[in-house]
């Protein structure tokens, strides 16, 4: 029976096409946006024009597939709302990942201008101690940008002297130091609004912080939530294409499971003479 003896290579080809095509041409299935993602989106969306905001790149390339799409989406959103984006990193590779986003977005967003509404200050070691130092005097921790240019040369940094000068802080975190440390210092000590994004496996550990005290103002957890954020800003990015590919691959697998079961029961019934 043909259905019963489908060459496995045919199945592999269908799955391969089901993954590759959506990655190349994002479909953008309708997505139900979760409350936590909506909170993070609303925070950025309702922040006033001209407000300085701090984005922390607290991850390395191993977490890039999950965290880079949400960081890209939030920067794009913030720039569209005419906010001043200041990027820092508590992880050594974070500043380079920030540069990658800037280089990518600058091609599609002519309004994105380095030194005017976007700046990368680079990596600083020290974790929670560094965050505490930023709370007291931001400029002693970051006297220059990632290229060694003094902050006094950037007009967008004129009014920033401490953490409380930022309207909100968003940490894209793959571990320690990261989002937890920003909550402990920026929110709990200085009462600065904190949001952010984490890998899917880390997300459950941060949900208790989204409480009545709003220690965490929303959360983007993993690729699925990143796709939800892209859906909200109407941008089909890598999170959207990744979820499309995953959904179609799962659908193809389910179809072949159904075909396999139909073939099995049909063959069994024939043997039994039914």
């Amino acid at each position: 029976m043909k259905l019963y003896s489908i060459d496995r290579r045919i199945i592999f080809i269908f799955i391969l096409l089901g993954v590759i095509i959506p990655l190349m041409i994002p479909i953008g299935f309708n997505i139900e946006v979760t409350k936590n993602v909506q909170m993070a989106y609303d925070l950025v969306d309702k922040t006033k024009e001209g407000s300085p905001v701090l984005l922390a790149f607290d991850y390395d390339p191993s977490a890039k597939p999950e965290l880079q799409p949400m960081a890209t989406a939030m920067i794009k959103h913030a720039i569209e709302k005419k906010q001043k984006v200041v990027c820092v990193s508590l992880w050594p590779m974070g500043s380079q990942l920030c540069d990658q986003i800037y280089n990518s977005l600058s091609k599609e967003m002519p309004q994105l201008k380095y030194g005017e509404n976007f700046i990368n200050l680079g990596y600083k070691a020290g974790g929670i101690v560094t965050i505490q130092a930023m709370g007291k005097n931001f400029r002693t921790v970051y006297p220059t940008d990632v290229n060694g240019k003094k902050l006094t040369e950037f007009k967008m940094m004129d009014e920033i002297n401490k953490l409380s000068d930022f309207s909100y802080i968003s940490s894209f975190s793959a571990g320690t130091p990261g989002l937890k440390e920003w909550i402990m210092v920026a929110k709990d000590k200085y009462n600065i609004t904190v949001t952010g994004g984490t890998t899917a496996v880390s997300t459950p550990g941060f949900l208790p912080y989204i409480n009545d005290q709003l220690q965490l103002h929303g959360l983007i957890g993993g690729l699925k939530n990143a796709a939800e954020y892209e859906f909200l800003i109407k941008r089909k990015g890598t999170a959207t294409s990744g979820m499309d590919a995953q959904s179609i691959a799962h659908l193809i697998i389910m179809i072949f499971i159904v075909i396999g079961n139909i073939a099995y029961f049909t063959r069994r019934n024939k043997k039994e003479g039914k």
Side-chain angles (χ1 to χ4, degrees):
M1 186 176 185
K2 290 184 178 180
L3 283 179
Y4 197 81
S5 57
I6 295 176
D7 191 324
R8 69 180 65 183
R9 288 172 294 185
I10 294 176
I11 299 175
F12 296 156
I13 289 171
F14 271 99
I15 293 176
L16 179 64
L17 292 174
V19 171
I20 290 178
I21 293 174
L23 289 177
M24 296 176 64
I25 309 172
I27 299 168
F29 294 120
N30 283 336
I31 298 174
E32 183 178 349
V33 179
T34 56
K35 179 182 177 182
N36 293 338
V37 175
Q38 188 69 54
M39 287 175 65
Y41 171 86
D42 289 343
L43 172 63
V44 179
D45 204 59
K46 295 176 181 177
T47 297
K48 294 180 180 179
E49 290 185 8
S51 299
V53 299
L54 186 68
L55 271 63
F57 285 73
D58 303 325
Y59 61 98
D60 58 19
S62 65
K64 180 180 176 180
E66 284 189 276
L67 301 184
Q68 195 85 337
M70 61 181 74
T72 302
M74 188 171 286
I75 289 177
K76 178 176 172 59
H77 189 195
I79 294 298
E80 286 176 342
K81 301 302 292 186
K82 299 182 180 180
Q83 297 161 19
K84 299 174 183 177
V85 177
V86 179
C87 298
V88 298
S89 176
L90 300 178
W91 287 44
M93 295 293 291
S95 62
Q96 295 179 38
L97 295 170
C98 174
D99 279 339
Q100 290 178 12
I101 293 177
Y102 173 78
N103 293 333
S104 173
L105 284 180
S106 60
K107 297 175 183 177
E108 62 179 273
M109 301 183 71
Q111 68 269 42
L112 179 61
K113 302 291 185 182
Y114 190 87
E116 295 181 17
N117 56 8
F118 180 95
I119 191 169
N120 182 4
L121 302 186
Y123 160 71
K124 289 292 179 181
I128 193 169
V129 176
T130 299
I131 300 174
Q132 291 171 335
M134 289 185 210
K136 296 176 182 178
N137 192 324
F138 189 85
R139 289 175 179 270
T140 59
V141 180
Y142 282 104
T144 65
D145 75 344
V146 71
N147 300 312
K149 195 172 181 179
K150 292 183 179 180
L151 293 195
T152 51
E153 298 181 40
F154 298 100
K155 187 173 178 59
M156 65 174 285
M157 301 296 296
D158 284 351
E159 298 178 2
I160 299 174
N161 297 298
K162 52 189 183 299
L163 277 183
S164 56
D165 292 326
F166 292 100
S167 294
Y168 63 82
I169 295 172
S170 181
S171 168
F172 302 100
S173 171
T176 303
L179 183 55
K180 185 176 181 180
E181 286 69 30
W182 287 104
I183 294 171
M184 292 169 63
V185 179
K187 176 58 183 177
D188 293 347
K189 185 173 182 179
Y190 296 104
N191 197 33
I192 305 165
T193 302
V194 175
T195 189
T198 62
T199 55
V201 70
S202 302
T203 299
F206 285 97
L207 296 180
Y209 290 100
I210 307 174
N211 47 35
D212 292 339
Q213 291 77 37
L214 282 180
Q215 287 178 285
L216 185 59
H217 199 106
L219 181 67
I220 308 171
L223 194 65
K224 179 181 180 297
N225 281 180
E228 293 173 19
Y229 202 103
E230 288 181 348
F231 176 76
L232 287 170
I233 66 169
K234 297 178 175 59
R235 180 182 190 268
K236 294 179 182 179
T238 53
T240 301
S241 59
M243 290 306 299
D244 288 346
Q246 180 176 291
S247 298
I248 292 176
H250 287 170
L251 178 61
I252 292 171
I253 291 169
M254 290 174 63
I255 289 172
F256 277 108
I257 289 173
V258 171
I259 291 173
N261 278 278
I262 292 172
Y264 169 77
F265 285 110
T266 301
R267 187 181 190 188
R268 190 183 71 172
N269 290 340
K270 282 186 175 181
K271 284 183 177 181
E272 293 175 355
K274 294 181 180 180

